[in-house]
Amino acid sequence: MDGRVIGLGDGYEARRISLEAYRDACKRLEDRIFGGNSLYAFDPPRKAPPPLGESFQWGVYHGDELIGWHHAHQKDERTVEMADTGILPEYQGKGLYTRLLPHLLDAFREAGYPLVTSRHRATNNRVIVPKLRAGFFLQGLSLYEGGVNVALTLSLDGGYREAMHVRSGFRQASGEVARRLGLGDVAGGAAEGQPVSVPLPAGTEPAFDLGDGYTVHPVSNEIYREVYAQLEHAAYDTATFDWGEVPRLPRPGVPTFAWLIAHGGEVVGWHSARGWDERTLYMSNTALLPGHRGRGLYTRLLPPLLGTFRAEGYTVVRSHHHTTNSAVLVPKLRTGFVIAGLEVNHHGVMAVLTHTFDPVYREYLDVRSGLRRPAGEVARRLGLSPQEPQLKEKSHV
């Protein structure tokens, strides 16, 4: 496949174009696409740009009209950087980026690149979600001239992809991946002889019905802890630091919510949450046993949980997850969570996610990431003038 013309359906297609044609399109259309972003205005550069290396450009067309583009270039001997994508606002929200993405990745694979990288505003879920669904992993956050960027990497090599799971702490090292990382082979999974099923405690009534025979039952923190201790080994294959001691201090005395997820009279998962501060609820732990994953249960569970937290008076919901656990990150981001940070703790390298029920605060998060400029109520609460600035700059999607 040479990728010269890519059919995207509904009269849309992507065509390979020259670097000069891409730069001309940027000059003509970038204000319409990126005009609402916030980017620091540097003085004219004093140094020439470095050699670009191999580059890839596609123009996105509707009929004969150029409505967008994608530009990528070689970063090093193994990596291609997806540097710039833009689609005119009136053509956004039609799934064009999701349809274009696999064709671009095929082109990079055929060109011989094992790694694909990209950067995006940290709250730009319209791009981050398709990237994570395509197999990219979250690998970093940076504060730069355009705001807060999230760095994503896709491995077109299966071994490196598994190594990223090990690095994040999401999986134990084994086999060839362990050899390449210089680590010992660790046996993960359920320990032999330990129980892999626990009956639902008697007397628990369902609070939510998830369909297909799955129900969610509120329980006390004590019952939750008892069930968790019995099934933890079956739910996780993570590499968590062993403190080697019993905690010397009690758990924080904050409100706690705990639910067990049941199917056929047995516990197949759980969720627990607790207060973080006077406005924030922390979703501290969710798990589904392996045989019940991939059925959309987590996606179905999120709305009733968020409804409960909102009814309890919380304004912000916080959680953290292994950076390579896209099976959880994607539903969270699609529900309205945004990436708020990275944290290294005893579980590994964790992505911090934030959700808010306050629309002004949600807009503020976009302002903080640089995805939009402060205006109206957000500008007032930041102590800024709500006047529109004159500068219009391009930025990464």
Side-chain angles (χ1 to χ4, degrees), residues 36-99:
N37 290 353
S38 172
L39 192 68
Y40 180 80
F42 281 107
D43 293 331
R46 300 177 182 178
K47 299 289 186 179
L52 188 60
E54 184 178 20
S55 67
F56 305 80
Q57 292 77 223
W58 287 266
V60 181
Y61 291 84
H62 186 236
D64 293 328
E65 180 187 4
L66 178 68
I67 63 167
W69 59 73
H70 176 74
H71 164 68
H73 60 81
Q74 183 177 1
K75 192 173 180 182
D76 57 35
E77 66 273 22
R78 293 186 180 90
T79 311
V80 61
E81 169 87 1
M82 299 180 71
D84 185 29
T85 305
I87 296 174
L88 289 173
E90 58 266 35
Y91 294 96
Q92 295 173 12
K94 299 179 183 292
L96 292 176
Y97 190 77
T98 299
R99 284 180 264 170

XYZ file of all heavy atoms in Angstrom, residues 36-99:
515
model
N -8.753 29.143 18.279
C -9.206 29.223 19.666
C -8.199 28.719 20.670
O -8.430 28.802 21.873
N -7.064 28.161 20.187
C -6.050 27.649 21.104
C -5.215 28.779 21.692
O -5.228 29.907 21.199
C -5.127 26.666 20.376
C -5.822 25.365 20.036
O -6.949 25.140 20.443
N -5.156 24.528 19.274
N -4.475 28.460 22.716
C -3.589 29.426 23.356
C -2.154 28.944 23.202
O -1.829 27.826 23.589
C -3.940 29.559 24.844
O -2.993 30.348 25.520
N -1.298 29.795 22.632
C 0.095 29.428 22.401
C 0.976 30.640 22.665
O 0.649 31.746 22.231
C 0.297 28.942 20.962
C 1.624 28.262 20.624
C 1.730 26.923 21.341
C 1.738 28.047 19.119
N 2.056 30.450 23.385
C 2.967 31.553 23.675
C 3.590 32.065 22.381
O 4.029 31.275 21.534
C 4.058 31.075 24.630
C 5.060 32.145 24.996
C 4.757 33.089 25.966
C 6.300 32.202 24.366
C 5.668 34.076 26.306
C 7.217 33.179 24.702
C 6.897 34.114 25.665
O 7.802 35.087 25.996
N 3.645 33.392 22.209
C 4.190 34.002 20.995
C 5.673 34.303 21.194
O 6.043 35.302 21.811
C 3.429 35.275 20.647
N 6.536 33.434 20.699
C 7.966 33.664 20.766
C 8.382 34.793 19.812
O 7.691 35.090 18.837
C 8.730 32.398 20.359
C 8.818 31.359 21.439
C 8.066 30.192 21.363
C 9.656 31.522 22.521
C 8.140 29.220 22.339
C 9.753 30.555 23.511
C 8.995 29.404 23.422
N 9.518 35.392 20.088
C 10.146 36.274 19.116
C 10.618 35.440 17.925
O 10.727 34.209 18.030
C 11.338 37.000 19.746
C 10.909 37.982 20.831
O 9.777 38.492 20.727
O 11.692 38.220 21.762
N 10.910 36.085 16.781
C 11.411 35.319 15.627
C 12.632 34.483 16.009
O 13.501 34.951 16.765
C 11.777 36.416 14.618
C 10.887 37.550 14.980
C 10.754 37.515 16.467
N 12.720 33.234 15.531
C 13.842 32.369 15.915
C 15.174 32.893 15.395
O 15.248 33.500 14.332
C 13.478 31.023 15.269
C 12.562 31.367 14.143
C 11.793 32.574 14.595
N 16.225 32.652 16.177
C 17.573 33.059 15.776
C 18.338 31.906 15.128
O 19.395 32.128 14.543
C 18.343 33.560 17.000
C 17.694 34.752 17.693
C 18.479 35.147 18.936
N 17.847 36.251 19.644
C 18.316 36.772 20.783
N 19.424 36.277 21.315
N 17.680 37.773 21.360
N 17.844 30.701 15.293
C 18.512 29.527 14.761
C 17.669 28.888 13.668
O 16.429 28.944 13.701
C 18.750 28.492 15.871
C 19.632 28.980 17.010
C 21.068 29.117 16.568
C 21.965 29.463 17.742
N 23.389 29.570 17.351
N 18.347 28.287 12.722
C 17.647 27.545 11.670
C 17.092 26.251 12.249
O 17.680 25.677 13.170
C 18.605 27.240 10.518
N 15.947 25.774 11.751
C 15.415 24.503 12.246
C 16.332 23.357 11.866
O 17.057 23.429 10.868
C 14.059 24.401 11.547
C 14.198 25.210 10.309
C 15.111 26.344 10.674
N 16.325 22.262 12.641
C 17.153 21.098 12.294
C 16.611 20.423 11.044
O 15.448 20.632 10.661
C 17.009 20.191 13.517
C 15.689 20.574 14.119
C 15.543 22.039 13.867
N 17.440 19.623 10.376
C 16.948 18.890 9.197
C 15.730 18.055 9.559
O 15.686 17.410 10.612
C 18.145 18.016 8.812
C 19.338 18.710 9.397
C 18.856 19.353 10.654
N 14.736 18.076 8.674
C 13.454 17.442 8.987
C 13.514 15.930 8.891
O 12.817 15.223 9.608
C 12.371 17.986 8.044
C 10.931 17.582 8.355
C 10.538 18.059 9.746
C 9.987 18.176 7.312
N 14.346 15.379 8.038
C 14.343 13.946 7.821
C 13.168 13.543 6.947
O 12.496 14.374 6.333
N 12.874 12.253 6.898
C 11.756 11.771 6.082
C 10.453 12.351 6.613
O 10.236 12.433 7.822
C 11.700 10.249 6.119
C 10.620 9.657 5.229
C 10.608 8.139 5.233
O 11.153 7.543 6.194
O 10.045 7.551 4.294
N 9.571 12.756 5.710
C 8.288 13.308 6.145
C 7.153 12.680 5.355
O 7.348 12.138 4.261
C 8.263 14.831 5.996
O 8.294 15.214 4.634
N 5.962 12.741 5.956
C 4.737 12.200 5.359
C 3.667 13.276 5.464
O 3.478 13.857 6.532
C 4.260 10.954 6.112
C 5.272 9.849 6.238
C 6.271 9.909 7.213
C 5.220 8.743 5.408
C 7.201 8.892 7.354
C 6.142 7.719 5.538
C 7.138 7.790 6.510
N 2.962 13.530 4.368
C 1.872 14.501 4.381
C 0.666 13.948 3.625
O 0.824 13.367 2.546
C 2.271 15.827 3.728
C 3.297 16.632 4.485
C 4.704 16.092 4.312
O 5.458 16.009 5.263
N 5.068 15.722 3.071
N -0.501 14.130 4.226
C -1.756 13.823 3.551
C -2.665 15.043 3.643
O -2.749 15.689 4.702
C -2.473 12.643 4.214
C -1.857 11.300 3.970
C -2.175 10.394 3.004
C -0.820 10.680 4.762
N -1.407 9.264 3.125
C -0.565 9.410 4.196
C -0.082 11.087 5.875
C 0.390 8.541 4.701
C 0.880 10.231 6.385
C 1.103 8.974 5.803
N -3.332 15.364 2.568
C -4.415 16.320 2.623
C -5.722 15.576 2.755
O -5.927 14.525 2.133
N -6.626 16.057 3.596
C -7.946 15.451 3.759
C -8.934 16.258 2.917
O -9.015 17.491 3.050
C -8.387 15.438 5.237
C -9.749 14.777 5.392
C -7.337 14.716 6.097
N -9.670 15.566 2.054
C -10.544 16.231 1.081
C -11.987 15.762 1.230
O -12.254 14.599 1.570
C -10.087 15.925 -0.347
C -8.762 16.559 -0.717
C -7.555 15.951 -0.381
C -8.721 17.771 -1.417
C -6.337 16.527 -0.721
C -7.513 18.360 -1.767
C -6.330 17.730 -1.411
O -5.136 18.317 -1.756
N -12.907 16.676 0.977
C -14.307 16.348 0.784
C -14.636 16.767 -0.637
O -14.755 17.952 -0.930
C -15.196 17.078 1.786
C -16.631 16.662 1.715
N -17.662 17.540 1.509
C -17.206 15.432 1.822
C -18.808 16.891 1.485
N -18.559 15.612 1.679
N -14.734 15.768 -1.515
C -14.787 16.091 -2.937
C -13.449 16.683 -3.352
O -12.387 16.092 -3.111
N -13.468 17.861 -3.928
C -12.231 18.539 -4.321
C -11.789 19.589 -3.306
O -10.785 20.277 -3.520
C -12.414 19.212 -5.696
C -12.585 18.188 -6.812
O -11.982 17.092 -6.697
O -13.321 18.465 -7.770
N -12.525 19.737 -2.199
C -12.190 20.765 -1.225
C -11.227 20.226 -0.174
O -11.488 19.199 0.462
C -13.458 21.267 -0.523
C -13.190 22.354 0.505
C -14.407 22.728 1.311
O -15.467 22.096 1.127
O -14.301 23.659 2.145
N -10.111 20.913 0.019
C -9.172 20.562 1.066
C -9.739 21.025 2.409
O -9.956 22.221 2.618
C -7.818 21.230 0.818
C -6.740 20.974 1.886
C -6.296 19.517 1.862
C -5.555 21.902 1.671
N -9.985 20.079 3.324
C -10.616 20.415 4.610
C -9.715 20.112 5.795
O -10.087 20.379 6.935
C -11.947 19.657 4.771
C -11.710 18.149 4.814
C -12.931 20.027 3.656
C -12.895 17.350 5.282
N -8.520 19.571 5.536
C -7.631 19.256 6.642
C -6.375 18.584 6.159
O -6.131 18.459 4.949
N -5.552 18.113 7.106
C -4.268 17.526 6.752
C -3.727 16.676 7.884
O -4.209 16.720 9.014
C -3.254 18.642 6.457
C -3.048 19.581 7.609
C -2.368 19.339 8.772
C -3.562 20.906 7.729
N -2.424 20.442 9.596
C -3.132 21.412 8.986
C -4.305 21.745 6.888
C -3.448 22.698 9.418
C -4.613 23.010 7.318
C -4.190 23.484 8.565
N -2.700 15.908 7.558
C -1.866 15.277 8.573
C -0.422 15.353 8.109
O -0.115 15.114 6.939
C -2.226 13.811 8.820
C -1.290 13.178 9.809
N -1.352 13.443 11.156
C -0.222 12.346 9.648
C -0.390 12.798 11.781
N 0.318 12.126 10.880
N 0.468 15.692 9.052
C 1.902 15.764 8.781
C 2.643 14.959 9.833
O 2.361 15.060 11.035
C 2.379 17.223 8.813
C 3.867 17.366 8.930
N 4.733 17.008 7.935
C 4.643 17.824 9.957
C 5.985 17.250 8.320
N 5.939 17.741 9.547
N 3.596 14.127 9.399
C 4.450 13.356 10.296
C 5.875 13.412 9.762
O 6.097 13.601 8.567
C 3.973 11.909 10.386
N 6.842 13.256 10.666
C 8.228 13.265 10.212
C 9.076 12.356 11.091
O 8.726 12.035 12.240
C 8.805 14.687 10.207
C 8.794 15.355 11.552
N 9.743 15.125 12.523
C 7.936 16.261 12.087
C 9.489 15.857 13.592
N 8.392 16.549 13.367
N 10.202 11.948 10.541
C 11.118 11.065 11.239
C 11.718 11.773 12.436
O 12.167 12.913 12.353
C 12.231 10.621 10.291
C 13.208 9.644 10.904
C 14.257 9.183 9.901
O 14.240 9.615 8.757
N 15.154 8.314 10.324
N 11.743 11.072 13.578
C 12.296 11.635 14.811
C 13.676 11.067 15.117
O 14.562 11.777 15.573
C 11.329 11.353 15.968
C 11.614 12.096 17.240
C 10.490 11.845 18.240
C 10.744 12.581 19.556
N 9.656 12.282 20.526
N 13.845 9.775 14.889
C 15.150 9.132 15.022
C 15.129 7.871 14.181
O 14.247 7.692 13.341
C 15.510 8.849 16.494
C 14.469 7.985 17.205
O 13.879 7.085 16.569
O 14.243 8.209 18.405
N 16.106 6.980 14.401
C 16.222 5.813 13.522
C 15.107 4.795 13.715
O 14.972 3.867 12.905
C 17.581 5.138 13.717
C 17.806 4.496 15.083
C 18.346 5.465 16.125
O 18.169 6.690 15.967
O 18.935 4.988 17.116
N 14.297 4.944 14.758
C 13.198 4.000 14.999
C 11.824 4.682 15.039
O 10.817 3.984 14.996
C 13.390 3.270 16.329
C 14.566 2.322 16.387
C 14.565 1.538 17.697
N 15.685 0.617 17.760
C 16.870 0.915 18.262
N 17.071 2.124 18.770
N 17.840 0.023 18.283
N 11.767 5.993 15.140
C 10.539 6.677 15.539
C 10.064 7.663 14.487
O 10.855 8.443 13.953
C 10.756 7.436 16.866
O 11.360 6.564 17.815
C 9.440 7.966 17.408
N 8.755 7.653 14.241
C 8.109 8.683 13.442
C 7.179 9.471 14.365
O 6.480 8.889 15.197
C 7.332 8.089 12.247
C 6.225 7.149 12.699
C 6.767 9.187 11.360
N 7.211 10.791 14.247
C 6.404 11.686 15.077
C 5.200 12.181 14.291
O 5.349 12.809 13.233
C 7.242 12.884 15.537
C 6.452 14.012 16.176
C 6.224 13.839 17.668
O 6.696 12.832 18.224
O 5.572 14.703 18.279
N 3.990 11.884 14.781
C 2.782 12.443 14.195
C 2.659 13.875 14.710
O 2.159 14.118 15.799
C 1.569 11.596 14.576
C 1.646 10.159 14.102
S 0.188 9.175 14.554
C -1.049 9.880 13.459
N 3.146 14.835 13.917
C 3.404 16.171 14.434
C 2.220 17.118 14.332
O 2.112 18.043 15.138
C 4.604 16.778 13.692
N 1.326 16.922 13.363
C 0.299 17.943 13.160
C -0.885 17.350 12.404
O -0.720 16.753 11.337
C 0.884 19.113 12.374
C -0.091 20.272 12.229
O -0.945 20.432 13.123
O 0.003 21.005 11.237
N -2.058 17.482 12.975
C -3.306 17.105 12.311
C -4.287 18.248 12.476
O -4.415 18.804 13.572
C -3.919 15.825 12.899
O -2.961 14.772 12.869
C -5.160 15.407 12.119
N -4.968 18.611 11.423
C -5.972 19.656 11.505
C -7.144 19.367 10.584
O -6.944 18.919 9.453
N -8.350 19.590 11.077
C -9.574 19.431 10.281
C -10.447 20.650 10.554
O -10.601 21.067 11.714
C -10.319 18.126 10.645
C -9.456 16.902 10.281
C -11.661 18.038 9.917
C -10.051 15.581 10.724
N -10.991 21.233 9.516
C -11.834 22.417 9.683
C -12.978 22.119 10.653
O -13.529 21.013 10.657
C -12.390 22.861 8.334
C -11.384 23.485 7.364
C -12.037 23.715 5.997
C -10.838 24.797 7.914
N -13.350 23.095 11.491
C -14.358 22.850 12.530
C -15.658 22.251 12.018
O -16.248 21.387 12.677
C -14.575 24.239 13.136
C -13.304 24.963 12.899
C -12.788 24.459 11.577
N -16.129 22.694 10.854
C -17.421 22.200 10.359
C -17.364 20.733 9.935
O -18.400 20.105 9.700
C -17.921 23.068 9.201
C -16.979 23.168 8.011
C -16.069 24.387 8.086
O -15.661 24.765 9.211
O -15.770 24.945 7.017
N -16.155 20.169 9.844
C -16.019 18.758 9.470
C -15.548 17.897 10.639
O -15.310 16.702 10.465
C -15.047 18.614 8.294
C -15.563 19.246 7.025
C -15.179 20.539 6.676
C -16.449 18.568 6.191
C -15.658 21.133 5.517
C -16.930 19.155 5.034
C -16.532 20.438 4.701
O -17.017 21.015 3.549
N -15.404 18.499 11.812
C -15.030 17.729 12.993
C -16.252 17.006 13.559
O -17.389 17.360 13.263
C -14.417 18.664 14.036
C -13.104 19.288 13.591
C -12.582 20.330 14.551
O -13.061 20.463 15.680
N -11.576 21.098 14.123
N -16.014 15.991 14.371
C -17.112 15.230 14.974
C -17.768 14.249 14.039
O -18.843 13.727 14.342
N -17.138 13.950 12.898
C -17.698 13.008 11.925
C -16.908 11.692 11.877
O -17.121 10.867 10.994
C -17.727 13.640 10.529
C -18.577 14.900 10.433
C -18.537 15.497 9.021
C -19.334 16.793 8.941
N -20.789 16.548 9.100
N -15.972 11.529 12.806
C -15.185 10.291 12.854
C -14.068 10.217 11.837
O -13.504 9.139 11.626
N -13.706 11.338 11.207
C -12.683 11.308 10.167
C -11.324 10.923 10.735
O -10.573 10.155 10.116
C -12.590 12.668 9.467
C -13.804 13.073 8.617
C -13.623 14.477 8.068
C -13.996 12.077 7.479
N -10.967 11.453 11.895
C -9.674 11.138 12.484
C -9.583 9.657 12.829
O -8.563 9.003 12.578
C -9.456 11.987 13.738
C -8.050 11.906 14.285
C -7.010 12.597 13.691
C -7.761 11.124 15.403
C -5.721 12.527 14.180
C -6.477 11.042 15.909
C -5.463 11.748 15.299
O -4.181 11.667 15.789
N -10.652 9.105 13.389
C -10.663 7.685 13.736
C -10.529 6.816 12.495
O -9.833 5.791 12.508
C -11.961 7.342 14.488
O -12.032 8.116 15.695
C -12.025 5.868 14.841
N -11.176 7.240 11.392
C -11.084 6.459 10.154
C -9.724 6.594 9.479
O -9.233 5.662 8.844
C -12.189 6.899 9.179
C -13.574 6.367 9.537
C -14.611 6.830 8.530
N -15.320 8.018 8.989
C -16.141 8.734 8.231
N -16.307 8.407 6.960
N -16.767 9.779 8.728
